[in-house]
Amino acid sequence: QTRLEKFFEKKKYHLIYFPEPTLTCLQLNKIRFISTLWDIGHWQFKDKFSEMKNNFYLREKLYQFITKKCFLLILDTPQLKNLIKRNYIIKNKKIILLPFVPSDINYKKKYSPKKNKNFFFYPANYWKHKNHITILKSCIYLKKEKKNFNFIFTGEDKGNLDNLVRFAKKNKISKMVKFLGFVKKSKIVDLYKT
């Protein structure tokens, strides 16, 4: 029994929820846990992106453990469920589909863009496999077509941000693009609202 599990047992915790895939769950043998998986990009993109290739083995071992040992598994789409079931042994009854949507947004209320706020918003960490470069290439096309749109990116730098900034400068689209970096949830909600 691990120190972490002893701690949880002492506190009388019987179920732990991990909102993201984490190595911490490997320390649980007796205590049940729920985990969230966002994708299986390490399978889908392992030959295309170095960040997937370099972490494939570790991520695969983690996913094998999670899908085998979890009490419940939270996924966001039926497509992801199919991919998980194709690659791992897990019973249907252990999978819960729960769309990953930002909280604190009243979806019943209709938001209209403010004047001069024609922009696309892409909240994703700056990994190569998140394909920001494709969006930047679309900026070049929009600029040539004299379309007035801007792009806002948010997320943590995962080793690709400098490449994206250089690409934007080289192609003279920097004025169309804002790289905000990591932002608080409230700011993301504001961006969704506009």
Side-chain angles (χ1 to χ4, degrees), residues 103-137:
S103 59
D104 299 326
I105 295 180
N106 181 352
Y107 285 98
K108 292 178 184 174
K109 185 176 177 180
K110 292 186 179 175
Y111 296 104
S112 58
K114 295 175 184 173
K115 289 181 184 177
N116 300 321
K117 292 277 185 174
N118 293 334
F119 67 88
F120 293 97
F121 172 49
Y122 187 46
N125 288 332
Y126 301 106
W127 294 102
K128 268 188 180 177
H129 73 272
K130 292 297 182 181
N131 250 341
H132 294 83
I133 198 73
T134 301
I135 297 172
L136 293 179
K137 287 176 182 177

Side-chain angles (χ1 to χ4, degrees), residues 38-54:
W38 305 315
D39 59 45
I40 59 165
H42 66 293
W43 272 108
Q44 294 171 296
F45 305 117
K46 69 179 176 183
D47 296 327
K48 295 179 183 173
F49 301 102
S50 59
E51 69 251 23
M52 292 301 175
K53 198 176 224 174
N54 296 342

